[in-house]
Amino acid sequence: MSQVHLIDHPMIQHKLTIMRDKNTGSKDFRQLLEEISLLMGYEVTRDLPLEDVEIETPICPMVAKEVKGRKLAIVPILRAGLGMVDGLRTLVPVAKVGHIGLYRNEETHKPVVYYCKLPADIENRLVIVTDPMLATGGSACDAIAMLKERGCNNIRLMCLVAAPVGIEKVQAEHPDVDIYVAAIDKCLNENAYIVPGLGDAGDRIFGTK
């Protein structure tokens, strides 16, 4: 079973509180999401392997540590997942970025992919899938399945706020994918919004509501 990592650092909780406030505008909402994504990125990448390298400081030679050849890819689920990319790229500037866009057919309830562009060597990378809200878990599960179809076997899901039902769905369908969240909220309402949540993340990021 995959692990759920609750990253509840005080600064993350503080910033998330401001994001939840309905009076917080799009500019501040975007900036706070980027900052939280950077902070969460430290934990998502905590176990990256290191190797010894020989360097020379202005004082003397030494053996130091650097990340051992682990290639990363960030794959946001469009459109809200885009808001988490810049924070992660600040932490890992060399990471490649792919994009997955999908929606569910209202009649069949099956995923419809409208966009998918991934790095050519995606199967050789540690893939961090980003989406601020893990509500029903449907989009996350579909995106992860698409990545696995393309040979990815090292995937992590990074979300801001999650509902228990969404976590359970991802764990059931993808027990090999660890989930990183900043908060686990109470439930979903009748419209499948997370309660208390923070509303529609995409609308609040891009000011479309």
Side-chain angles (χ1 to χ4, degrees):
M1 180 65 68
S2 65
Q3 292 186 347
V4 178
H5 304 264
L6 178 59
I7 307 172
D8 57 355
H9 187 282
M11 289 308 302
I12 291 178
Q13 294 186 64
H14 172 79
K15 293 174 186 295
L16 178 56
T17 295
I18 301 173
M19 291 183 69
R20 289 184 189 272
D21 191 325
K22 67 179 183 180
N23 296 312
T24 297
S26 290
K27 177 180 179 296
D28 290 337
F29 190 93
R30 287 194 303 271
Q31 181 63 40
L32 289 162
L33 180 57
E34 180 178 336
E35 292 171 1
I36 292 177
S37 300
L38 170 61
L39 295 172
M40 291 183 69
Y42 282 103
E43 295 301 321
V44 178
T45 59
R46 173 176 287 278
D47 62 349
L48 292 181
L50 296 172
E51 64 181 350
D52 292 338
V53 293
E54 295 182 1
I55 64 169
E56 190 167 341
T57 76
I59 307 301
C60 65
M62 70 167 290
V63 176
K65 302 286 186 182
E66 71 176 14
V67 174
K68 183 181 179 180
R70 177 62 65 87
K71 297 179 179 180
L72 270 70
I74 306 164
V75 179
I77 299 175
L78 302 180
R79 63 184 166 144
L82 287 170
M84 305 180 79
V85 172
D86 286 347
L88 286 174
R89 291 199 78 184
T90 298
L91 182 65
V92 190
V94 298
K96 296 288 183 69
V97 179
H99 300 86
I100 292 179
L102 51 84
Y103 66 91
R104 286 186 172 272
N105 183 294
E106 293 184 0
E107 294 181 359
T108 66
H109 302 292
K110 292 184 178 181
V112 178
V113 179
Y114 65 87
Y115 189 79
C116 182
K117 185 72 172 180
L118 302 170
D121 61 346
I122 189 73
E123 72 277 5
N124 298 320
R125 294 177 178 268
L126 166 60
V127 181
I128 302 173
V129 177
T130 63
D131 195 353
M133 313 304 286
L134 180 58
T136 65
S139 295
C141 285
D142 294 341
I144 293 168
M146 290 173 59
L147 290 166
K148 289 182 175 179
E149 289 172 0
R150 288 159 174 77
C152 299
N153 56 19
N154 192 358
I155 304 170
R156 298 175 185 183
L157 176 61
M158 176 175 153
C159 303
L160 188 65
V161 179
V165 65
I167 291 174
E168 291 170 5
K169 183 175 178 62
V170 174
Q171 287 185 315
E173 296 191 15
H174 301 287
D176 56 332
V177 175
D178 279 5
I179 304 168
Y180 295 79
V181 298
I184 300 175
D185 280 8
K186 183 179 179 182
C187 61
L188 301 181
N189 66 13
E190 63 277 9
N191 296 316
Y193 281 98
I194 299 175
V195 179
L198 46 73
D200 187 302
D203 283 340
R204 296 194 66 186
I205 290 168
F206 298 107
T208 50
K209 188 174 182 180

